[in-house]
Structures are given as structure tokens and as C-alpha cells.
Amino acid sequence: MLYTTFYLENHVEPKLLSVRFIPACLAATALFISASTVGQPAPIRETKGVEISHVESLDLTPWAHDVKGRQLRIRKLVFQPGGVVGLHSHDDRPDASYLVQGELTEYREGGYVKRRPGDTVHTAGKNVIHWVANEGNVPAVLVVVDVFKP
């Protein structure tokens, strides 16, 4: 019996044991927490060494009446040479995308646009019907953020 041995050797009442034990546990916990944050640097409050591209924005008002149940999603699409995202509309989901690698051709009514890495973000919203193709010979990587209904 551990309790009996401790009681007989130290003559401590059980109530006193718990009163002495709790502060010791709290002190050990505080020491552990402070030791784990010693190596963490102070927060940096200013931005420096970062280039921010031209801002492209898309008004979400056309979807405001239908926001319930929507989710913000981010995806990486890798278009192999010859890869295509077929004709589709963005009437049901606005999106913004950024081409990281390769080259893509975006076809919309009335023409097309060649997208290259580093091009600023481009958007698609209401009344946009398009398809996108990798007509190059290397994979193209496109990061797409949209607001969709699952």
C-alpha cells in the first residue's frame, strides 16, 4: 500500500497531501510552459521583403442572396500537356486563380488570353463561360480559389 507507507514514513494527513500536491503540479506545469516558449521569437509587426502583385478583385454581391451552405475552397490543378478543363460557367461559383508554372490558354466568348507564370490573379464570375487548355509541352500548375456549394 503506497498510501500506508507514505503515511507511516512521513506522518502526513491525506488532506494535507492533496493541498501540497496541487501547487507543486501547477508550478511544474508553469515551468514546462515557460520553458517551451523560451526559444520562440517575439512577433514581427511590420511587413518587409515581400512583393505584392496588382490586386484583382471580384464583387461577390451577385451571390450574396445565396451564401448559405457555400464554402471557400482552394485547389491546385496540374494540367498535363494537352490537358483541358472543359467548357463551364461561373454563374454558380465565383473564382480567382493564379498560374504558378507553365502556360495556359483561357478561351472566352470573343477570344482567348494566354496566361503565363507570375501573371496577376485572374477571376471568373457571373456571365463567364470559358474553358482552359495547356497547349504547351510542360505541365502547368494553377491555384484556384472559389466559393462553391458542395
Side-chain angles (χ1 to χ4, degrees):
M1 296 294 233
L2 180 60
Y3 167 72
T4 307
T5 306
F6 185 82
Y7 180 74
L8 291 175
E9 290 176 0
N10 296 301
H11 305 291
V12 177
E13 292 292 324
K15 290 180 185 173
L16 292 176
L17 177 63
S18 63
V19 171
R20 290 181 183 167
F21 185 69
I22 291 172
C25 285
L26 291 175
T29 302
L31 181 62
F32 175 75
I33 290 171
S34 66
S36 66
T37 58
V38 168
Q40 185 175 1
I44 297 172
R45 305 218 181 264
E46 67 182 48
T47 300
K48 63 182 180 178
V50 177
E51 293 179 28
I52 300 173
S53 71
H54 167 76
V55 174
E56 187 75 31
S57 62
L58 181 65
D59 183 12
L60 297 179
T61 303
W63 295 274
H65 70 284
D66 191 26
V67 74
K68 187 173 182 172
R70 287 188 178 270
Q71 297 178 1
L72 179 64
R73 167 175 68 178
I74 184 168
R75 301 176 290 163
K76 178 176 82 171
L77 283 64
V78 179
F79 289 72
Q80 296 302 323
V84 177
V85 169
L87 184 67
H88 62 281
S89 164
H90 282 271
D91 282 349
D92 64 337
R93 62 182 168 84
D95 89 343
S97 55
Y98 183 82
L99 185 59
V100 177
Q101 168 187 310
E103 187 175 289
L104 292 173
T105 305
E106 177 189 11
Y107 292 92
R108 294 187 184 190
E109 184 178 331
Y112 66 92
V113 176
K114 293 276 187 185
R115 304 285 185 190
R116 291 175 176 74
D119 283 353
T120 190
V121 172
H122 54 281
T123 60
K126 290 279 188 185
N127 302 317
V128 172
I129 299 173
H130 68 157
W131 74 96
V132 181
N134 180 355
E135 298 171 345
N137 54 13
V138 297
V141 178
L142 184 70
V143 176
V144 180
V145 177
D146 60 0
V147 180
F148 79 108
K149 276 193 173 181

